[in-house]
Amino acid sequence: MTDIKAERHKARQQKVKEAVDAKVAAATIERGVLMVITGNGKGKSTAGFGTVTRAVGHGKKAAVVQFIKGGWDCGERNLLEGVGVPFEVMATGFTWETQNRETDTAAAEKAWAVAETWLKDESLDLILLDELTYMLSYHYLDLERVLTALKNRPPHQHVIVTGRNCHRQLLELADTVSEIECVRHAFEAGVKAQPGFDF
Amino acid sequence: MTDIKAERHKARQQKVKEAVDAKVAAATIERGVLMVITGNGKGKSTAGFGTVTRAVGHGKKAAVVQFIKGGWDCGERNLLEGVGVPFEVMATGFTWETQNRETDTAAAEKAWAVAETWLKDESLDLILLDELTYMLSYHYLDLERVLTALKNRPPHQHVIVTGRNCHRQLLELADTVSEIECVRHAFEAGVKAQPGFDF
């Protein structure tokens, strides 16, 4: 590599460094973040569980409510329960399997009651509300009740909500919103869901 | 709830069930999936680490190469190394901090050599190549060498690549591509990066 190329690289990186440093210096607020991970692409729940893994690895306390999924053997739950993360699982399975609005609503409310307790618990640093969005789009849970509990949580507490088609008002309340677009999915090419990768 | 409403719900869900069942029946192939998680939004690395957590929870063997990041205390590494996941860390830090193309290239090649060994290891079910995309966009690694190793890996092995601006040829090779769009980020509102949530 020529010296000129190395110098150019250095100058470019110096500019990046200055921009990054200025942004980091401007970000001084420390508080709990409400994050929504939505969209049709793969990776919403795993991004939530990856953050739980991260939090526990820093000695933080995390808890998980799994809405919808949970009726089967779930790799992330196996590991994280083993290291002391409490799980509340709405184990009714997918709503198109049960086809019963009344039992689904009761199951959602039971799981949400646990979520509400955790959203008041000062000792918890992170709560993952996995697949919560569907509970709102199916009207299994009352929107105002959910928003109120999120707004009144302890100021340092981080919350992650995952699921498709997140309600507009929940999106507006969120500090961070990531939308995962499905550019391509192996499932569409005939690859089946495999344990340890897809669940 | 009226009976009519309940019946309508049931009929709608029955249609969803038929569509889902047909898709699941058509997906019969079992093989390793190459997944790319790209885009500017938050959640790329955590989605990768969440999948590692999932795999380990199912008794699968996973390994992680961290490109770029890794110079600091990292929550997910703390936990996952503790449960036996090997990590190879390119601990030079961000490229705009080092500002040295030659040492960065050498560090990338050293980390990639480990990745290549793992991409030949039949005993590994999942390999996370965290932030690999930058090694290609900065030309620290040879594209052909990377593509060849990915193509020739054991057929059952899953690989996840994360990072912004993924190279077009790597996107084309991937079975599953998720693009995370940044709708909003707390950092832009002055919230600093916090341990257990952002790293």
Side-chain angles (χ1 to χ4, degrees):
Chain A
M1 189 168 53
T2 65
D3 284 353
I4 292 173
K5 248 181 143 178
E7 277 310 306
R8 276 198 197 135
H9 175 82
K10 201 180 164 183
R12 256 197 319 268
Q13 294 304 324
Q14 177 60 27
K15 274 200 181 165
V16 175
K17 178 175 162 55
E18 280 161 19
V20 172
D21 286 352
K23 274 192 168 181
V24 169
T28 55
I29 305 162
E30 254 178 282
R31 65 168 168 82
V33 168
L34 172 60
M35 178 175 185
V36 171
I37 310 170
T38 189
N40 297 329
K42 184 176 177 62
K44 295 182 289 295
S45 290
T46 45
F49 282 104
T51 312
V52 172
T53 301
R54 173 175 282 180
V56 173
H58 272 296
K60 307 278 183 188
K61 273 190 74 181
V64 177
V65 187
Q66 283 184 295
F67 296 93
I68 295 192
K69 277 183 200 166
W72 63 71
D73 185 33
C74 165
E76 49 273 37
R77 193 162 78 236
N78 293 344
L79 192 153
L80 292 168
E81 278 191 334
V83 296
V85 176
F87 272 66
E88 171 68 22
V89 178
M90 181 182 145
T92 50
F94 291 113
T95 187
W96 56 83
E97 289 291 349
T98 64
Q99 301 182 17
N100 188 321
R101 196 181 176 86
E102 228 156 318
T103 55
D104 281 357
T105 304
E109 280 181 356
K110 190 167 165 280
W112 181 252
V114 176
E116 274 182 335
T117 313
W118 286 344
L119 288 165
K120 287 174 190 159
D121 185 341
E122 298 270 350
S123 78
L124 288 171
D125 302 294
L126 170 67
I127 296 168
L128 170 58
L129 303 172
D130 189 37
E131 319 265 13
L132 174 66
T133 60
Y134 305 100
M135 301 302 103
L136 298 171
S137 43
Y138 282 121
H139 303 284
Y140 291 168
L141 293 177
D142 178 61
L143 177 67
E144 279 312 316
R145 191 177 161 194
V146 169
L147 295 177
T148 302
L150 290 171
K151 280 177 196 159
N152 295 334
R153 73 188 198 278
H156 75 283
Q157 193 178 71
H158 301 295
V159 174
I160 299 181
V161 171
T162 73
R164 298 183 184 206
N165 304 316
C166 184
H167 193 284
R168 183 183 51 78
Q169 281 181 264
L170 184 46
L171 287 174
E172 280 166 11
L173 186 65
D175 305 290
T176 296
V177 177
S178 288
E179 181 160 354
I180 306 191
E181 188 202 339
C182 179
V183 179
R184 197 179 310 142
H185 198 303
F187 183 64
E188 304 292 337
V191 178
K192 67 190 282 188
Q194 296 167 83
F197 191 73
D198 297 293
F199 59 89
Chain B
M1 186 169 52
T2 64
D3 283 353
I4 292 172
K5 247 183 146 178
E7 277 309 307
R8 274 197 197 136
H9 175 82
K10 199 179 165 186
R12 256 198 318 268
Q13 294 304 325
Q14 177 61 26
K15 274 201 182 163
V16 175
K17 179 175 160 58
E18 279 161 18
V20 171
D21 286 352
K23 272 193 171 181
V24 169
T28 54
I29 305 162
E30 253 179 282
R31 63 167 169 82
V33 167
L34 172 60
M35 177 175 185
V36 171
I37 310 170
T38 190
N40 298 329
K42 185 175 176 63
K44 295 182 289 296
S45 290
T46 45
F49 282 104
T51 312
V52 172
T53 300
R54 173 175 284 182
V56 174
H58 272 297
K60 307 278 183 187
K61 275 190 72 181
V64 177
V65 186
Q66 282 185 296
F67 295 93
I68 297 191
K69 275 184 200 160
W72 64 71
D73 186 32
C74 166
E76 52 272 36
R77 194 163 77 235
N78 293 344
L79 192 153
L80 292 169
E81 278 191 334
V83 295
V85 177
F87 272 66
E88 171 68 23
V89 179
M90 182 181 143
T92 50
F94 291 114
T95 186
W96 56 83
E97 288 293 348
T98 64
Q99 300 181 18
N100 187 320
R101 195 181 177 86
E102 227 156 321
T103 56
D104 281 358
T105 303
E109 281 182 354
K110 191 168 161 284
W112 180 253
V114 176
E116 274 182 334
T117 313
W118 286 343
L119 288 165
K120 287 175 189 158
D121 186 341
E122 298 270 349
S123 79
L124 288 170
D125 301 294
L126 170 67
I127 297 169
L128 171 58
L129 303 171
D130 191 37
E131 318 266 13
L132 174 66
T133 60
Y134 306 99
M135 301 302 102
L136 298 171
S137 43
Y138 282 122
H139 302 287
Y140 291 169
L141 293 178
D142 179 62
L143 176 67
E144 281 310 319
R145 192 179 158 189
V146 169
L147 296 177
T148 301
L150 290 171
K151 281 177 198 162
N152 295 334
R153 73 189 197 278
H156 75 282
Q157 194 178 69
H158 301 294
V159 174
I160 299 181
V161 171
T162 73
R164 296 183 187 207
N165 304 317
C166 185
H167 193 286
R168 183 181 51 78
Q169 281 182 262
L170 183 46
L171 287 175
E172 282 167 8
L173 186 64
D175 304 290
T176 296
V177 177
S178 288
E179 181 158 356
I180 306 191
E181 188 201 340
C182 180
V183 178
R184 197 179 309 141
H185 198 303
F187 183 64
E188 304 293 337
V191 179
K192 66 189 283 188
Q194 296 168 82
F197 191 74
D198 297 294
F199 59 88

